[in-house]
Amino acid sequence: MMDIGLLWYDDDPKKPLERKIGEAAERYHQRFGVLPNICHVHGNGDKTEDRRQATVGSRQVAVVPNRAIRPHYLWIGLEVIA
């Protein structure tokens, strides 16, 4: 579960999703001092297999489709596993 995240908007159709996630992750790191490990993106997300990984620098970020996220927005943060 992610309690605190950074909402990121990028509507550039020429920019790949992984680059958008990378830019959002960089800003998250600047703001909170830690690297994120999860990013919710617009999508259906009904199946567990819809979840995938993106490489940001040397770190893996889980990319999760989420109906609650509007198109062109990313919600990136740190997933806390309890």
Side-chain angles (χ1 to χ4, degrees), residues 55-70:
T55 303
V56 176
S58 61
R59 182 155 186 163
Q60 292 291 310
V61 175
V63 180
V64 181
N66 185 331
R67 276 186 276 223
I69 305 299
R70 303 300 302 158

Side-chain angles (χ1 to χ4, degrees), residues 1 3 7 9 16-17 27 35 42 44 48-49 54 57 64 75:
M1 171 190 275
D3 290 328
L7 192 61
Y9 180 79
L17 179 60
R27 178 63 183 127
L35 292 170
H42 175 72
N44 196 3
T48 309
E49 59 268 16
V64 181
W75 186 35

Side-chain angles (χ1 to χ4, degrees), residues 5-53:
L6 177 76
L7 192 61
W8 187 261
Y9 180 79
D10 190 330
D11 66 346
D12 184 349
K14 295 179 183 177
K15 193 183 301 181
L17 179 60
E18 192 163 295
R19 183 166 164 212
K20 292 178 185 185
I21 292 170
E23 291 172 359
E26 184 178 325
R27 178 63 183 127
Y28 184 90
H29 183 251
Q30 289 171 349
R31 183 157 184 197
F32 298 106
V34 294
L35 292 170
N37 63 3
I38 191 165
C39 182
H40 291 260
V41 298
H42 175 72
N44 196 3
D46 285 339
K47 300 177 218 109
T48 309
E49 59 268 16
D50 288 342
R51 190 172 176 149
R52 60 185 193 268
Q53 298 287 319

